[in-house]
Amino acid sequence: MLLLISVSGMELQFQSDQVAAFVRQTDGSLFSWRERYSCFRYLIYGIVNKTNSEVVLKFDDKEFHWKQSESLLTRLEAEGVVKLVFPLHDEIKRKQLLRNWALNWLDFTWQPIDEIYSYFGTKIATYFAFLGMYARWLFFPAVFGLATQLIDFGSLQWLVLPGFFIFVISWAVLFLQFWKRKNSALLARWGIHCSLSEYKNLDNVSFLSDSLTVEEKEFGVVSVVVEKRKFQRNEWFGVLLRIRNNAIIVLAIICLQLPFELAYAHLYEIAETEVMRYLLTAVYLVAIQYYTRIGGKVSVNLIKYENNQGEESSSASLVYKAFGLYFMQSYIGLFYHASLHRDILALRRVLIQRLIVYQVLENLIENSIPYLKYSYKKYIAVHKKKRGKESTVGRSVRLSTRVEKEYLKPSYTASIGAELEDGLFDDFLELTLQFGMIMMFACAFPLIFCFAALNNVTELRADALKLLVMLKRPVPRAAATIGAWLNIFQFLVVMAICTNCLLLVCLYDVEGKWRIEPGLAAILIMEHALLLIKFGFSHFVPEEPAWVRANRVRYVAQAQNVCSKQLLRSISKFQGKLD
């Protein structure tokens, strides 16, 4: 097994005699949880039939054949002997995290990020670091938004909302930039200096090399030029495939989802009674769930035909497609209401309903469904045991082992594209939809940031409890950043500049006429100025702290030393074979 672990910011083959050079984890161990899990899977799946014939195996009066060069565990899974391979919770560390993190309400946003990284891996730790930072930063616009509602600014009242708008856009841009700094600092602390999936993409080099013709390999016909041409062809072919698939999704949204959303918004407006509106909303929610699932399955099938470079690229493609579906579902009703009525007070009521009801229901469903699933499976398992053992009649029957209990817990999987994403897909989707709602309609209801801040503080502990109590221990993923979600957050900032400018125009032009006074021209100028501020701040704040860059430079010499020793060792072995 070729084991690559981090040494001074690079990933090199592990050598026991060079152990001092390799980066230690934050808990003092040499290997991260992801590396240990990879080793475990390699060992248990590495038991293969190395004999020259098939081996007949028996289990519970069931006979099956173990083929040559076949993994024993793979065969046992196919025969149903092994139901599932999954990592167990470490009870000591789990209870410690429960006490110090999930049930610790003294500091609303504090989290033991290094302990989370050691227990769950890089991807989940990065999510909680982002969520914690987002929750802390939300207190700034929340306080400003609260002040706009409680303080009477007198003759300057007409400047309050434009001022709040400028503050919110500046806040969002700075938040995303400082998150990039924090992310790079965390990766440096954990000994990760690039996205780990980049190493998987190197397999494409051998794939393209294998596609060379025999004549090209034999005569070496400008091999560098040929491989470069094949790389370029492969790259642009993948781009064209993604453009085609994205166009299919966009057309489906415009031709199918948009009319459906507009019809719902229109019927909701003309409904005469509240009972009719609730019934209409219930039918809409059921229908939209089926539509979203169908759209997700179509997206996953389209991704299979894309020429994506690695798992992370496929995952990013799924994120963009799924967000397009949910973007239309979440915001088209608000856009329709704002453009039709041009009533800020009515829009505020809709925002309150959408945000509070959506977030409360989402958290309730997110945390109750795993518990209900586990309780139902546990009841079925105990009932089967009770029926299977006549001696236990009149006695209470319980699951005998912790493995049985954890096996019955739901897995941390995505609602769309479970083969490409884990449960963080749904958690990040919830965050982006909330961010889009509070940003794109900030001027309509500044107090909405208070609701978002309160929700995210609760979300921190709820997600922690969900992972530690209600679900199986997630399989560690190698992603080291929030990936495509960061691009979506930045896209929503640009959208927020445009939508809030339109809201300000509607607010100061209540008669429905385009007028210069009191602020149409100023608002248009402000839109362009904020776009400049957005791109200016993006370059003003460095994405990487200076100490991270300095450490990388300091470690280069040590990394080169280890590489040189490994190269000399390989040359010596090769010369020994020749002798």
Side-chain angles (χ1 to χ4, degrees):
M1 176 182 181
L2 178 61
L3 179 61
L4 298 177
I5 66 173
S6 181
V7 50
S8 306
M10 299 175 62
E11 287 205 350
L12 299 175
Q13 184 178 355
F14 176 70
Q15 300 287 342
S16 58
D17 58 342
Q18 298 292 330
V19 65
F22 287 84
V23 175
R24 294 277 179 177
Q25 300 299 309
T26 53
D27 60 355
S29 61
L30 184 62
F31 301 105
S32 67
W33 165 232
R34 182 187 67 85
E35 292 164 343
R36 294 198 302 272
Y37 178 78
S38 299
C39 290
F40 295 151
R41 284 189 62 87
Y42 177 83
L43 292 174
I44 60 178
Y45 279 95
I47 304 174
V48 298
N49 181 8
K50 296 183 178 180
T51 62
N52 296 326
S53 61
E54 293 184 353
V55 177
V56 179
L57 301 177
K58 293 183 179 181
F59 180 82
D60 284 348
D61 299 329
K62 183 179 182 180
E63 185 176 290
F64 51 91
H65 297 272
W66 184 18
K67 300 178 182 179
Q68 293 180 345
S69 302
E70 183 183 28
S71 169
L72 175 61
L73 189 55
T74 302
R75 171 49 51 188
L76 294 176
E77 287 178 326
E79 297 294 335
V81 177
V82 175
K83 295 182 178 180
L84 184 66
V85 178
F86 62 95
L88 288 174
H89 279 287
D90 184 325
E91 283 300 300
I92 296 177
K93 293 182 179 180
R94 188 183 72 88
K95 291 178 180 179
Q96 183 180 0
L97 284 172
L98 269 174
R99 183 175 58 255
N100 299 333
W101 175 35
L103 301 177
N104 180 16
W105 290 90
L106 296 178
D107 189 340
F108 293 132
T109 60
W110 179 84
Q111 297 180 101
I113 293 299
D114 289 338
E115 286 81 357
I116 297 171
Y117 162 72
S118 299
Y119 190 76
F120 288 114
T122 310
K123 190 174 183 180
I124 291 180
T126 303
Y127 163 74
F128 279 103
F130 179 84
L131 178 58
M133 182 176 175
Y134 178 40
R136 285 192 297 272
W137 276 63
L138 268 176
F139 284 107
F140 297 106
V143 171
F144 197 164
L146 185 62
T148 61
Q149 303 297 308
L150 299 179
I151 301 175
D152 184 8
F153 292 91
S155 59
L156 298 178
Q157 188 68 34
W158 69 278
L159 290 175
V160 172
L161 286 183
F164 179 74
F165 173 37
I166 295 173
F167 171 80
V168 164
I169 295 299
S170 303
W171 164 85
V173 174
L174 289 175
F175 161 66
L176 294 176
Q177 285 301 114
F178 276 97
W179 160 249
K180 295 176 185 177
R181 290 174 58 85
K182 182 179 180 65
N183 193 189
S184 63
L186 287 173
L187 297 182
R189 196 162 76 207
W190 298 336
I192 304 169
H193 289 265
C194 64
S195 178
L196 299 177
S197 62
E198 291 178 7
Y199 292 100
K200 299 179 182 179
N201 298 341
L202 295 178
D203 295 337
N204 295 313
V205 176
S206 60
F207 170 77
L208 290 175
S209 298
D210 293 339
S211 65
L212 295 176
T213 63
V214 177
E215 292 79 7
E216 290 169 346
K217 290 181 179 180
E218 181 178 355
F219 297 103
V221 180
V222 289
S223 59
V224 175
V225 177
V226 172
E227 284 202 12
K228 178 181 178 181
R229 189 182 303 119
K230 288 184 178 293
F231 268 114
Q232 291 175 338
R233 186 186 310 150
N234 187 59
E235 177 186 8
W236 286 108
F237 182 68
V239 171
L240 292 175
L241 286 176
R242 286 190 290 272
I243 292 175
R244 182 205 64 181
N245 293 344
N246 292 336
I248 293 174
I249 296 296
V250 171
L251 287 175
I253 291 174
I254 294 175
C255 299
L256 300 177
Q257 190 175 6
L258 180 58
F260 177 75
E261 298 286 348
L262 291 177
Y264 163 72
H266 177 68
L267 292 175
Y268 185 87
E269 290 295 329
I270 65 175
E272 297 179 355
T273 62
E274 289 296 324
V275 175
M276 288 296 298
R277 290 182 177 179
Y278 278 111
L279 290 175
L280 182 64
T281 302
V283 173
Y284 164 77
L285 291 176
V286 172
I288 201 64
Q289 290 296 323
Y290 281 102
Y291 178 85
T292 305
R293 290 179 184 177
I294 294 173
K297 291 180 180 179
V298 172
S299 299
V300 172
N301 289 329
L302 289 175
I303 291 172
K304 292 179 181 178
Y305 297 99
E306 292 179 357
N307 193 16
N308 290 308
Q309 304 297 315
E311 181 181 340
E312 187 172 336
S313 179
S314 299
S315 176
S317 182
L318 175 64
V319 167
Y320 293 134
K321 292 176 175 60
F323 180 76
L325 297 172
Y326 279 94
F327 181 88
M328 186 66 66
Q329 171 187 336
S330 301
Y331 304 130
I332 190 62
L334 295 172
F335 291 144
Y336 176 84
H337 194 281
S339 61
L340 179 65
H341 297 283
R342 303 181 69 175
D343 186 349
I344 296 297
L345 295 179
L347 182 59
R348 286 180 181 178
R349 289 195 297 270
V350 176
L351 283 170
I352 293 173
Q353 294 172 0
R354 286 290 184 96
L355 183 65
I356 296 179
V357 174
Y358 173 78
Q359 296 290 349
V360 170
L361 289 178
E362 186 70 25
N363 287 330
L364 185 63
I365 293 173
E366 182 181 353
N367 294 287
S368 62
I369 287 183
Y371 175 76
L372 294 175
K373 286 183 177 179
Y374 170 66
S375 299
Y376 176 74
K377 290 181 178 179
K378 184 178 179 181
Y379 170 78
I380 296 298
V382 172
H383 189 64
K384 285 183 178 179
K385 273 196 169 186
K386 193 172 182 179
R387 286 193 307 174
K389 296 182 179 180
E390 296 180 357
S391 60
T392 61
V393 176
R395 301 178 185 178
S396 60
V397 179
R398 297 182 179 180
L399 299 180
S400 57
T401 65
R402 183 166 62 91
V403 177
E404 288 182 281
K405 295 178 181 179
E406 292 202 22
Y407 168 72
L408 297 177
K409 292 181 179 180
S411 300
Y412 190 48
T413 55
S415 59
I416 295 177
E419 59 268 39
L420 297 176
E421 273 284 355
D422 56 13
L424 286 179
F425 174 87
D426 298 284
D427 292 329
F428 267 118
L429 180 63
E430 182 182 350
L431 280 184
T432 53
L433 294 177
Q434 180 206 83
F435 183 81
M437 189 174 296
I438 65 176
M439 287 297 298
M440 289 194 293
F441 302 95
C443 289
F445 188 40
L447 200 59
I448 198 173
F449 285 89
C450 295
F451 294 108
L454 180 62
N455 174 80
N456 287 357
V457 170
T458 307
E459 186 78 16
L460 275 174
R461 308 307 172 188
D463 286 349
L465 282 171
K466 178 179 65 177
L467 286 172
L468 291 170
V469 177
M470 302 178 188
L471 302 174
K472 294 186 184 73
R473 188 177 184 180
V475 173
R477 298 265 183 156
T481 67
I482 65 174
W485 296 109
L486 182 61
N487 296 331
I488 292 177
F489 276 99
Q490 292 173 332
F491 162 76
L492 290 173
V493 172
V494 177
M495 285 291 296
I497 294 175
C498 302
T499 56
N500 281 281
C501 284
L502 291 175
L503 285 174
L504 288 175
V505 170
C506 295
L507 180 64
Y508 290 120
D509 185 21
V510 293
E511 298 178 1
K513 300 177 181 178
W514 297 103
R515 301 180 304 170
I516 298 298
E517 27 337 284
L520 177 57
I523 290 171
L524 294 176
I525 294 173
M526 185 171 59
E527 178 183 15
H528 292 78
L530 284 172
L531 288 173
L532 291 176
I533 290 174
K534 192 267 179 195
F535 294 109
F537 279 2
S538 300
H539 297 282
F540 175 73
V541 180
E543 296 184 3
E544 189 179 50
W547 68 268
V548 174
R549 293 194 297 271
N551 284 348
R552 189 184 303 114
V553 173
R554 189 183 305 121
Y555 291 151
V556 165
Q558 188 177 6
Q560 288 179 342
N561 184 32
V562 175
C563 288
S564 300
K565 289 182 178 180
Q566 290 186 357
L567 180 60
L568 290 174
R569 187 180 294 108
S570 300
I571 294 175
S572 299
K573 290 180 180 179
F574 181 72
Q575 289 179 343
K577 291 180 179 180
L578 292 178
D579 295 338

